[in-house]
Amino acid sequence: MTLSHAADLRTIRGPWRIAFSVVLVAVFFALPVLISDATLGTLILCGAFAIGAIGLNLLIGLTGQVSLGHAAFVAIGAYCTSYLGDGRGWPFLAYFATAIVLGLVAGAVIGPFALRLRGNYLVIVTIGLVFVSEHVLRNWESLTRPVRGTAPTRDAAVAIGPLDFGAGLDLGSALYTREQSMFWLTWALVALAAVVAHNLTRSRVGRAMQAVRDRDLAAEVIGVEPGRTKIGAFAVASAMAAAAGVIYALGLGAIDYQELSGIHGLFMSITFVAIIILGGLGTVHGSILGALLVVYGQRLIANEGAAMPILGIPVERGWMSTGELNGVLFGGLIIVFLLLEPRGLAALWARVRTWFQGWPFAY
Amino acid sequence: MSTTGVGTEALIETLFSGIAVGAKYALVALGFVIVFKATRVLNFAHASFVLLGGFITWQLAAEWGVNFYLALPLAMVAGALIGTALQTALLQRLLGERPFSIIMMTIGVLYVFDNVTSAIWGPEDRDLPDPWGSKTVDLGSVNLAVADLWTIGVTSAAVGAFFLFFRYSSLGLGMRATADDQEAALATGIDARRVHLAAWATAGALGTLAGAMLSSGAGSVGPSLGAVAFVAFPAMIVGGLESPVGAVVGGLLIGLIQQLTALLQPEYAAWLGSGFDRVAPFAVMVIILLVRPYGLFGEPEVRRI
Amino acid sequence: MQHLRRRTTAGITITALCLAALAACGRADSGSGSSGGQGSAGAPAEAPGFDGTTITVGALTPTSGRVAVIGNPVTVGNQIYFDMINESGGIAGKYPVEVLVRDSKYESTTAAQEYQATKDEVSMYVQLLGTQVVSSLLPDLAQDGIVASPASLDSFWVREQNLLPWGGPYQIQVVNGVDWYLTEGGGEGETICSLTQDDAYGATGRDGLAFVAEQHGIKLGKQVQFTLGTTDYTTHINQLKGAGCDAVLLTATPADTAGALGKAAQVGFEPQWLGQSPTWLKPLFEGDLKDYAEKNLVILAEGGSWDKSASKGMGDMIAALEKYSPDTPADWYLTVGWTQARATHQVLEAAVERGDLSRDGLIEAMNSLDTITADGMFGDYGWGAPEEREPPRTSTIYAVDIDGSPMGITPKAQDYTSDAAAEYSFDD
């Protein structure tokens, strides 16, 4: 319950949220010191997927325009990193900004399709996008280097002013590894994306998006331009996807066009959509929770899988490989959430929060 | 035709192979369309029907030695059962949900089925013991593969059967009525649940048939068999999501376009890049949708405020 | 309400400062682990992947997805080799080897993550499968100083410090195979065409073919490429047939081989097919394609027949397979895994002998070897520092013989070496 306009506009509301924010900040700073670089590497990827999912959630959850072509825009960011960052030696902010601008432009170019197409037709056209981008990437050899299989991103500079995240931060008193430094950068960007999305949601634009989602003809009647709103949503989502692509590329060290387009690109797009379903449609923190669940969960299975009795490696082949188990769990989670908790982790989270807020009067 | 390598004979054979490939796409697209027409579900799990269908047919015919002509209908029955099970256990519960949730549900099913299939049968491709093999019919200058002729025949038969079914059987009429207006159909006493079950069973059987036909002849049964379903999307879209006739026309059109592109594009339009035949169906799809946003045979949606 | 916001900001700032102070114990220099490890001779000190008794080696390979059909037998080959070694005590008779297998799904993304998750637990990698996987991990291997054996026969690998390749590269396969066809195979003056995958692997075939054509001064016929996922090969086959090809180099994977050959059989196109080693998978050719493949297809690979008396390596491997993995069917890829493990064994043995199993120790041990042998299963690899390495330049041309050989292929021209292959340079 908010009692004033100022309180309503505040990003962080109430003592519980303040306490929680403090904990989050504490975790953000402390985590890299406490856990291994390999785990940090996974969390950096989680961050990349979270940024992409936050953008996609604006498009799907808020504006109601479904896209299975998100990977195509991730590829834009990834190849900016490889071509401009690694190949041309551009500074981080330059290729990062270029990626975002190209993402915006590409989204705005694709957006008009959404004006003519609705529902299922739009979904299939966006699938077409990942196959068309596969063709373009495969034939653009100077960019994707199909003969070596992958394009490098490792040597792209990741420095903002004196802070060199790529080489590892040097704070005078202490040196940090690349993974530790990239973790801080990545999750700072996740926080930035979350704030942008959160504020967008609460703005005039955000309300227009929701109006378009709920009834676009009605929205038009009350003065919202569905065309501009849809194109804008595509542009913002694509820009965030491109930003995600930059982090994804930096986190991996090399990128392969076959994993960003075509059938694997479709799978990646599906992963983004699954993240926002499992996390919670239309919520910003849901996108982050979903990314952690999906990306970190898959890594957990891969790491611990060999010890599970039903899994096996070929020699003493168990019932399925870890890759197959991950696929089954991924599909199974989507099914279970859609049936039992369609509003995702965010709704589960809300329940826990309500319980704590009501404590000790749990009614 | 003087200096290039594309002769009349090659062109004729390519046209035939375009029709044969197109018939396979049509068969896949038909299963999609039946479910969509009756239940408004864009069923990504249809790719799993195709994959499972190929493997079940292989299991029966190769491992258990069942005669191929018997194994095929048996596998189709199994496919129909899987289709109905899916509808009963999962999809029915999402009735009336946003199309997006329903699509994601079928994608979840796709992941589960694909990985379980690969856990059961392993990753290797295998030869389906179909009776057609690499046999051909020789028509003077061109050879036609027996397996392709069968595919064309089976697809035609399936389309014919659908036409009669929708036209004359009460269930078929019910399907059409439900597709047009679910509430009105319910009011006239049509059991929508029965209609939905029938649609899913049909799709399961058709998917199985498509899987078997795709892996017959020069094809093989393997973990990527289901991927063809994604190429059938353009076929389905071109024809219109709700039109069985459209699915067939779309399938044939896409098959012809793909094969002709593979033959002609490297000669005459090399600047489009290598492998353009794979992306041509999607390009055609996008162009058609821009002109007709509901496909060639689809019905424009009436939008209410 | 304004004071609340100020308090929030202040709170966050304070926490941040506290934590920055707490975090001021960086660890950038703790993870390298490449120095030290030098124990007294005969008893190496503990090192990554070595706990004093057991040596762990990694294998990043697809155990799911369509390439698992190659990954699985290679991994079995790795495993049964070390099973055999461990039974006699292990490396140098005292250090047993354990293989840590992780599913790469044939994706460089997944492989990169698996690499990060396993690199501190392994001495070296006995297997990294896939050209794009190896190429994306090379800089990491160099930075971490880790040695890995690629399960990919690309010629790029020959001069890499951190790689332990085996066998003649794909280009050599093609050069020898085409040379054999032009001389002993009865293909003199015939038109040679190609049907290749349009990716990195396909490029190795086109490279080799262009090189051998230049060496022989012949003009090539039609060169056709196909894209992975092609469902129908009619147009490709028609183009080859229309161009009057007498022989076709085939750079593909098994399902595509079966698709292309099936279509060729249907249209009555019967050139001499020259298939690179990854085109072969026996079960696909046991059915309708059997007669056509036996008549028209040869496989360009390396090694001998599936016969215990063929070579020491083959004899050991078949015995180990019968003993440790009797359910695994005969497969050419088992010999690949076996050869990788054999090479890994030699490096580990040398490192133990020098008493240093650290990252640097392994590299030095590897560079100290003169030859890496595959016990006659594959040609010996001239070894040393990267610039001295000299891959075997022999290939074996196999005929398809489904019933006659457990692998389905049997040598037609064993250990074939051509002048053209001797000319091929790995330095650019």
Side-chain angles (χ1 to χ4, degrees):
Chain A
M1 176 75 79
T2 49
L3 298 174
S4 74
H5 184 58
D8 197 32
L9 284 181
R10 209 186 304 292
T11 307
I12 299 169
R13 271 173 281 171
W16 282 105
R17 293 207 175 181
I18 293 171
F20 184 69
S21 308
V22 170
V23 171
L24 273 189
V25 173
V27 169
F28 170 76
F29 280 106
L31 208 56
V33 188
L34 303 174
I35 60 180
S36 75
D37 280 356
T39 314
L40 288 173
T42 308
L43 288 174
I44 291 167
L45 274 189
C46 286
F49 275 88
I51 294 171
I54 289 171
L56 191 63
N57 219 336
L58 289 175
L59 185 65
I60 297 184
L62 215 58
T63 322
Q65 305 299 304
V66 180
S67 165
L68 282 177
H70 215 46
F73 305 106
V74 174
I76 291 178
Y79 280 103
C80 276
T81 312
S82 171
Y83 192 77
L84 301 176
D86 187 288
R88 296 274 176 285
W90 284 28
F92 174 70
L93 288 178
Y95 66 79
F96 191 63
T98 308
I100 289 177
V101 170
L102 288 180
L104 268 175
V105 172
V109 170
I110 306 299
F113 282 90
L115 304 186
R116 284 190 66 81
L117 304 172
R118 300 165 59 77
N120 294 304
Y121 286 95
L122 180 59
V123 171
I124 296 180
V125 163
T126 56
I127 291 177
L129 195 60
V130 295
F131 287 100
V132 172
S133 70
E134 180 187 35
H135 182 73
V136 172
L137 289 174
R138 189 181 52 239
N139 284 285
W140 194 342
E141 298 190 357
S142 60
L143 187 71
T144 54
R145 312 193 195 175
V147 173
R148 276 314 277 258
T150 55
T153 57
R154 198 172 324 254
D155 293 335
V158 199
I160 302 177
L163 300 176
D164 192 342
F165 298 93
L169 288 175
D170 179 358
L171 299 183
S173 61
L175 282 173
Y176 298 93
T177 62
R178 179 184 166 94
E179 280 77 12
Q180 288 175 309
S181 317
M182 285 297 296
F183 173 90
W184 281 315
L185 176 67
T186 303
W187 283 87
L189 288 172
V190 173
L192 184 66
V195 169
V196 168
H198 191 66
N199 283 331
L200 200 64
T201 311
R202 303 188 305 165
S203 70
R204 203 183 119 79
V205 180
R207 285 190 295 275
M209 286 174 166
Q210 292 170 55
V212 168
R213 173 191 66 193
D214 296 337
R215 273 261 181 279
D216 60 353
L217 288 186
E220 205 165 347
V221 173
I222 59 165
V224 171
E225 269 189 58
R228 251 174 56 190
T229 309
K230 285 182 187 174
I231 293 176
F234 262 99
V236 172
S238 311
M240 287 200 178
V246 171
I247 301 298
Y248 169 89
L250 290 172
L252 288 173
I255 46 175
D256 182 350
Y257 79 90
Q258 294 184 66
E259 282 159 41
L260 290 163
S261 62
I263 195 106
H264 280 90
L266 178 59
F267 291 159
M268 184 193 240
S269 305
I270 287 175
T271 305
F272 275 110
V273 179
I275 284 173
I276 62 175
I277 285 196
L278 299 181
L281 265 184
T283 67
V284 174
H285 60 294
S287 311
I288 299 171
L289 290 175
L292 286 170
L293 173 69
V294 170
V295 181
Y296 197 80
Q298 295 196 347
R299 189 92 303 268
L300 208 62
I301 297 288
N303 285 348
E304 308 304 327
M308 294 184 201
I310 60 159
L311 302 176
I313 49 173
V315 180
E316 55 265 13
R317 189 174 165 89
W319 195 64
M320 54 170 59
S321 70
T322 46
E324 286 156 358
L325 178 74
N326 258 329
V328 171
L329 286 178
F330 179 73
L333 272 179
I334 296 175
I335 294 172
V336 167
F337 267 84
L338 282 175
L339 287 181
L340 302 180
E341 185 51 275
R343 288 176 308 138
L345 288 174
L348 288 177
W349 169 248
R351 275 192 222 152
V352 175
R353 202 183 59 208
T354 318
W355 189 86
F356 270 109
Q357 279 173 341
W359 192 84
F361 309 110
Y363 50 79
Chain B
M1 289 280 135
S2 51
T3 53
T4 66
V6 180
T8 323
E9 202 177 296
L11 202 61
I12 293 174
E13 273 187 13
T14 302
L15 285 176
F16 273 110
S17 81
I19 293 171
V21 174
K24 290 172 189 167
Y25 291 158
L27 208 50
V28 177
L30 206 52
F32 269 114
V33 168
I34 297 296
V35 164
F36 189 81
K37 193 174 170 63
T39 69
R40 299 277 141 186
V41 172
L42 184 62
N43 175 27
F44 275 68
H46 198 70
S48 302
F49 293 159
V50 175
L51 175 71
L52 264 175
F55 272 105
I56 294 176
T57 315
W58 178 85
Q59 181 74 29
L60 288 163
E63 288 288 278
W64 296 340
V66 179
N67 178 299
F68 184 79
Y69 293 103
L70 182 61
L72 193 54
L74 282 177
M76 285 171 71
V77 170
L81 286 177
I82 294 168
T84 32
L86 262 188
Q87 161 67 4
T88 324
L90 300 177
L91 270 310
Q92 191 175 298
R93 303 203 197 178
L94 288 189
L95 209 65
E97 286 278 337
R98 283 166 302 193
F100 164 64
S101 302
I102 297 175
I103 287 180
M104 283 312 288
M105 172 63 89
T106 64
I107 287 178
V109 173
L110 173 76
Y111 270 86
V112 173
F113 274 20
D114 277 15
N115 286 288
V116 170
T117 305
S118 118
I120 294 174
W121 281 287
E124 60 273 8
D125 289 277
R126 58 207 79 201
D127 182 50
L128 189 70
D130 56 286
W132 312 311
S134 41
K135 283 185 210 141
T136 53
V137 178
D138 203 349
L139 294 181
S141 64
V142 289
N143 286 300
L144 298 182
V146 177
D148 288 350
L149 290 174
W150 268 89
T151 307
I152 296 171
V154 164
T155 307
S156 319
V159 176
F162 271 115
F163 182 74
L164 296 175
F165 172 74
F166 278 123
R167 197 70 189 263
Y168 299 109
S169 81
S170 65
L171 192 60
L173 286 169
M175 255 190 211
R176 279 169 66 196
T178 318
D180 282 346
D181 187 338
Q182 189 152 332
E183 276 177 42
L186 280 174
T188 58
I190 292 167
D191 183 353
R193 254 186 47 191
R194 226 178 105 228
V195 168
H196 289 182
L197 274 182
W200 277 91
T202 315
L206 276 179
T208 305
L209 184 62
M213 298 315 289
L214 277 165
S215 33
S216 69
S220 54
V221 184
S224 46
L225 186 58
V228 69
F230 298 108
V231 193
F233 271 131
M236 186 171 52
I237 280 288
V238 167
L241 276 176
E242 293 126 76
S243 163
V245 177
V248 174
V249 176
L252 291 177
L253 202 60
I254 291 296
L256 279 170
I257 287 170
Q258 200 174 37
Q259 293 299 306
L260 285 174
T261 313
L263 180 71
L264 301 175
Q265 182 257 335
E267 296 282 344
Y268 299 104
W271 54 273
L272 282 169
S274 85
F276 189 73
D277 52 314
R278 290 244 298 150
V279 75
F282 291 99
V284 171
M285 170 181 91
V286 170
I287 292 165
I288 286 187
L289 276 184
L290 283 180
V291 183
R292 284 180 67 94
Y294 30 82
L296 288 181
F297 295 81
E299 299 141 31
E301 193 181 342
V302 180
R303 294 162 68 192
R304 290 184 207 105
I305 297 187
Chain C
M1 284 281 147
Q2 203 58 40
H3 68 281
L4 187 65
R5 173 183 296 206
R6 211 175 299 130
R7 216 171 62 200
T8 316
T9 322
I12 291 175
T13 316
I14 290 167
T15 336
L17 288 174
C18 294
L19 286 158
L22 165 79
C25 40
R27 59 149 187 264
D29 46 358
S30 67
S32 56
S34 55
S35 54
Q38 183 89 41
S40 55
E46 286 183 21
F50 178 60
D51 59 7
T53 45
T54 306
I55 300 172
T56 305
V57 294
L60 305 185
T61 180
T63 64
S64 60
R66 61 178 302 175
V67 191
V69 67
I70 292 173
N72 286 345
V74 175
T75 308
V76 173
N78 294 158
Q79 196 99 43
I80 57 174
Y81 181 86
F82 288 118
D83 285 342
M84 178 188 81
I85 295 298
N86 291 348
E87 197 168 277
S88 59
I91 307 290
K94 38 188 167 175
Y95 306 114
V97 178
E98 206 165 275
V99 185
L100 179 67
V101 183
R102 287 296 184 86
D103 189 359
S104 72
K105 298 197 261 178
Y106 200 58
E107 297 167 0
S108 49
T109 327
T110 312
Q113 296 179 61
E114 294 295 359
Y115 173 79
Q116 294 301 334
T118 53
K119 66 174 183 184
D120 293 331
E121 297 171 40
V122 300
S123 285
M124 57 184 284
Y125 288 92
V126 64
Q127 181 196 163
L128 293 185
L129 196 147
T131 298
Q132 81 283 24
V133 167
V134 178
S135 125
S136 75
L137 288 180
L138 256 177
D140 283 311
L141 291 169
Q143 191 186 330
D144 299 325
I146 299 178
V147 177
S149 175
S152 142
L153 284 170
D154 213 296
S155 68
F156 287 131
W157 313 146
V158 177
R159 299 274 175 256
E160 293 289 347
Q161 172 64 76
N162 295 86
L163 293 182
L164 176 60
W166 46 275
Y170 289 132
Q171 284 85 344
I172 296 294
Q173 280 182 0
V174 174
V175 171
N176 279 330
V178 172
D179 187 282
W180 167 85
Y181 173 71
L182 289 170
T183 53
E184 296 177 17
E188 204 185 337
E190 304 279 48
T191 307
I192 301 178
C193 304
S194 70
L195 178 59
T196 54
Q197 212 161 290
D198 63 348
D199 66 355
Y201 162 52
T204 65
R206 295 190 289 276
D207 270 7
L209 186 58
F211 182 82
V212 69
E214 201 193 315
Q215 290 289 314
H216 279 267
I218 56 167
K219 204 170 164 290
L220 292 172
K222 187 102 182 157
Q223 311 290 309
V224 180
Q225 294 187 31
F226 69 93
T227 307
L228 268 178
T230 300
T231 41
D232 187 282
Y233 292 88
T234 308
T235 54
H236 307 87
I237 297 299
N238 280 342
Q239 288 179 56
L240 294 167
K241 191 183 175 195
C245 300
D246 302 302
V248 182
L249 170 74
L250 181 62
T251 313
T253 48
D256 292 318
T257 307
L261 262 58
K263 190 46 84 177
Q266 283 174 357
V267 301
F269 176 47
E270 301 205 344
Q272 175 65 63
W273 290 95
L274 306 161
Q276 280 185 231
S277 55
T279 55
W280 182 250
L281 180 71
K282 188 184 175 198
L284 266 181
F285 302 91
E286 284 171 337
D288 315 315
L289 273 177
K290 186 178 166 220
D291 294 340
Y292 183 85
E294 288 187 340
K295 184 164 168 229
N296 300 302
L297 176 65
V298 295
I299 300 295
L300 316 178
E302 203 176 339
S305 53
W306 188 270
D307 180 351
K308 278 188 181 171
S309 59
S311 61
K312 177 180 181 309
M314 207 59 161
D316 288 352
M317 187 187 80
I318 295 175
L321 190 68
E322 284 166 357
K323 192 162 175 188
Y324 304 109
S325 191
D327 295 336
T328 306
D331 193 317
W332 185 79
Y333 278 102
L334 289 165
T335 67
V336 171
W338 180 271
T339 305
Q340 284 186 309
R342 181 81 186 88
T344 303
H345 177 194
Q346 288 170 78
V347 173
L348 290 173
E349 191 90 36
V352 168
E353 208 167 279
R354 299 160 68 97
D356 187 358
L357 274 169
S358 69
R359 303 277 194 237
D360 291 345
L362 282 165
I363 298 233
E364 281 165 29
M366 177 167 90
N367 290 348
S368 75
L369 295 169
D370 293 331
T371 315
I372 289 194
T373 178
D375 294 336
M377 187 132 64
F378 284 61
D380 284 351
Y381 213 117
W383 207 255
E387 58 283 2
E388 299 159 13
R389 292 175 194 171
E390 178 53 38
R393 291 179 192 252
T394 57
S395 305
T396 298
I397 288 84
Y398 286 93
V400 175
D401 181 7
I402 298 288
D403 302 322
S405 158
M407 289 191 290
I409 50 176
T410 187
K412 195 180 177 96
Q414 191 160 348
D415 300 333
Y416 182 86
T417 315
S418 62
D419 296 340
E423 291 296 314
Y424 194 89
S425 164
F426 297 101
D427 289 322
D428 35 48

